[in-house]
Amino acid sequence: MTEEHKYTNNLINETSPYLLQHAHNPVDWYAWNDETLALAKKENKLILISIGYAACHWCHVMERESFEDSTVANIMNQNFINIKVDREERPDVDQIYINAVQLMTGSAGWPLNCIALPDGRPIWGSTYLPKENWKSALEQIIKLHKENPDKIEEYAAQLTTGVEQSGLVTLNTSEKEYTTVELDTIVDNWKKYMDTDLGGSVGAPKFPMPNNYQFLLRYAVQNNDDKIMDYVNTTLTNMAYGGLYDQIGGGFARYSVDAKWHIPHFEKMLYDNGQLVSLYANAYLVTKNPLYKQVVYETIRFVERELMDKTGAFYSSLDAVSEDENGELKEGLFYVWKKEELNNILKNDFDLFATYYNVNDTYKWENETYHLNRIGFNDDILENFQITEQELSKKVNYWKEVLLKAREQKSRPRLDDKILTSWNALILKGYVDAYRVFDNEHFLERALKTANFIDKVQHKEDGSLYRNYKNGKSNINAYLIDYATTIDAFISLHEITLDDKWLHKAKKMTDYCFDNFYDDKSKMFYFTSDSDSQLITRKIETDDNVIPSSNSIMANNLFKLGHYFANQAYSKNADQMLHNVKDKVLQYGGGASNWLLLYSNYLGNFYEIAIVGKDAKERLKEFNKKYIPNKLIVGSTTDSKLPLLEYKYSEGETTFYVCIDGTCKMPVNEAEKALEQIEILLK
């Protein structure tokens, strides 16, 4: 390989597809590790940290313009130790330096470029810059560092203090109180950010934010709030009808660049699709909307077709770009169509297809291409084309089949084939939720295969996890988000299999987190383990974003595990964690929706549904036909020593127990009667 390229740098030894993409830049890149940091100190050189990820469009643009340019590379190589970071592999590094750039500039994104002193303290940062601007910025910093090092040292100290204090969590010792009035106020304040006409948040770009709608779905159901339910349905429908959703192959892109969900940023991420499977499954349980079921099944087919590894685990993402006939990278090329293409493939069906998917000037993208959007309903189409609903459905399925085959002949987007533990836990949870709602055995089989991959391959003998897997090798110590999402998924897996091994594994990982991630002062968890190399500060992540924060997931886990194992320490810690972030939660619900799910658990009843007996798994399926967000399920087909199941097993019977804090209603033998008890308690 080295003989085929003019340049080869240290990244050639890495496994990250993103780092390997830069292995033949003239820039002398290094990976982030102790050896590289030691080299910077030894040579007393500034560190240039460039952070991105494989599916990042502007990362590729900056590489092409600057990092492949030998004159730019000379400036970088002579004056800096240049470090490339895959933010998906190393979110710990990313969160430090994106925080720094936000403090310096007021905003941040990727590619993220940060210059730091040899000890890692940041002094300057930016996102994408065109080549001449990049060269100019570097030359100014080089000059300042030579002529006024004391000024740079002073600024680095101030900025590092800012990074250390940003997002700092302290123990809240005031009296704990959670009220429906307060929750209602949070939702009312959130409404000004809601686009009730188009769904999502007001303006553009629009991100899916699955956890926001999980909370709002629950809030709407529990409060009989028709307006919030309409908003959730508007959002889910328009996301599924718009260009954010791949109308031919299924699955969602990362976000929409416009307010109408029309044109996406075309990369597809595993973490989005895993969470959206869970969301649409739960929304189907509430609404029985067939569109939501279709989205779940098509998204799962996409994930299995495009991202599934032979191990049963899943790759990270598909890039937004692919090569055109001239070898140039073009965004969205794989997904868009020209009218002539569609005419040649669909022939007599073209006019109907073009109406159904809005192949018209309003939805034209660029270079005479169209991105398919299903905006609107079928009634007008049925009337105008004199076709029945059944006939139209058959045609739509046929179109998807033939266009998917035709698309396979196009230049494919690049695949990021690293396997991340936390993202696999999210798709595992998606499979669990899909199985719970649709009772499809395939979903359970895939869930178990993914769970066993995490448990067998990513688990070390000392109880810790690996973050990453690639080419048969696991590496990188896992972060709190990996443990939190896996614990959550394993708890959910118990709730559909009634196999208590998943609960015990979840508890062991939780105890490992207490031993290695816990901050005794705040009662929160650090993002990094005690065994990880220390960065300039150690962060506690609490803001819910596209993926909920690691601490909010852990707090929800502790709430449930406190019930499962009658563990008061877990329960008290979950309560304290929520109380610590309560002031932040009150400010903006959209940035704390997973905390709000926990908040909701403290309002009204939270049910412990115990089911024991030889037919427990089958009876549970009947029970799961009802959306009940304020509950956990614990069960066994045999006698069990779990606190919620002790002394409840009777030979030859299958019994439901509806309990609150260990106090149970009269046992019943049918799911319907157990649901009736909950209905009575709800009233």
Side-chain angles (χ1 to χ4, degrees), residues 544-614:
D544 293 334
N545 207 299
V546 177
I547 299 175
S549 68
S550 49
N551 269 281
S552 72
I553 302 173
M554 277 302 296
N556 276 278
N557 292 341
L558 289 172
F559 177 87
K560 287 187 175 181
L561 291 171
H563 283 269
Y564 279 118
F565 291 100
N567 188 318
Q568 285 298 310
Y570 286 176
S571 299
K572 287 179 180 178
N573 213 109
D575 192 2
Q576 185 63 55
M577 291 172 77
L578 175 60
H579 193 52
N580 286 345
V581 300
K582 189 177 172 187
D583 288 344
K584 182 181 286 190
V585 171
L586 294 175
Q587 292 171 17
Y588 176 49
S593 55
N594 206 43
W595 290 110
L596 292 177
L597 284 169
L598 179 59
Y599 191 113
S600 302
N601 289 345
Y602 292 102
L603 304 177
N605 295 320
F606 186 85
Y607 302 109
E608 302 149 340
I609 311 300
I611 176 171
V612 288
K614 62 182 181 66

Side-chain angles (χ1 to χ4, degrees), residues 432-491:
V432 167
D433 290 330
Y435 174 75
R436 172 174 52 81
V437 173
F438 300 111
D439 189 23
N440 184 317
E441 286 296 320
H442 173 73
F443 298 157
L444 176 58
E445 290 167 10
R446 292 252 59 91
L448 288 168
K449 193 155 189 181
T450 306
N452 282 315
F453 169 83
I454 296 174
D455 184 45
K456 306 298 183 189
V457 178
Q458 297 299 82
H459 232 135
K460 305 180 199 176
E461 288 185 7
D462 65 358
S464 65
L465 291 172
Y466 287 108
R467 164 102 177 141
N468 185 54
Y469 177 88
K470 175 85 186 292
N471 296 337
K473 181 182 177 183
S474 300
N475 64 355
I476 304 175
N477 282 340
Y479 304 104
L480 182 64
I481 191 65
D482 298 295
Y483 291 90
T485 50
T486 300
I487 292 164
D488 179 31
F490 281 10
I491 291 170

Side-chain angles (χ1 to χ4, degrees), residues 166 216 318 349 356 384 422 510 521 662 664 683:
S166 177
L216 291 172
L318 285 177
D349 273 355
Y356 188 83
N384 293 340
S422 60
T510 300
K521 292 180 181 178
C664 304
K683 293 174 184 176

Side-chain angles (χ1 to χ4, degrees), residues 6 26 32 157 168 185 304 329 366 424 528 534 545 552 571 598 616-617:
K6 187 174 181 180
W32 182 283
L168 194 67
T185 302
E304 293 181 2
L329 293 175
E366 56 185 30
N424 272 265
T528 53
Q534 293 298 301
N545 207 299
S552 72
S571 299
L598 179 59
K617 290 180 185 177

Side-chain angles (χ1 to χ4, degrees), residues 135-152:
K135 285 170 63 179
S136 175
L138 295 182
E139 287 163 353
Q140 289 177 55
I141 292 161
I142 294 164
K143 183 180 179 185
L144 183 62
H145 185 240
K146 287 179 179 176
E147 296 178 357
N148 205 337
D150 291 343
K151 185 176 181 180
I152 280 187

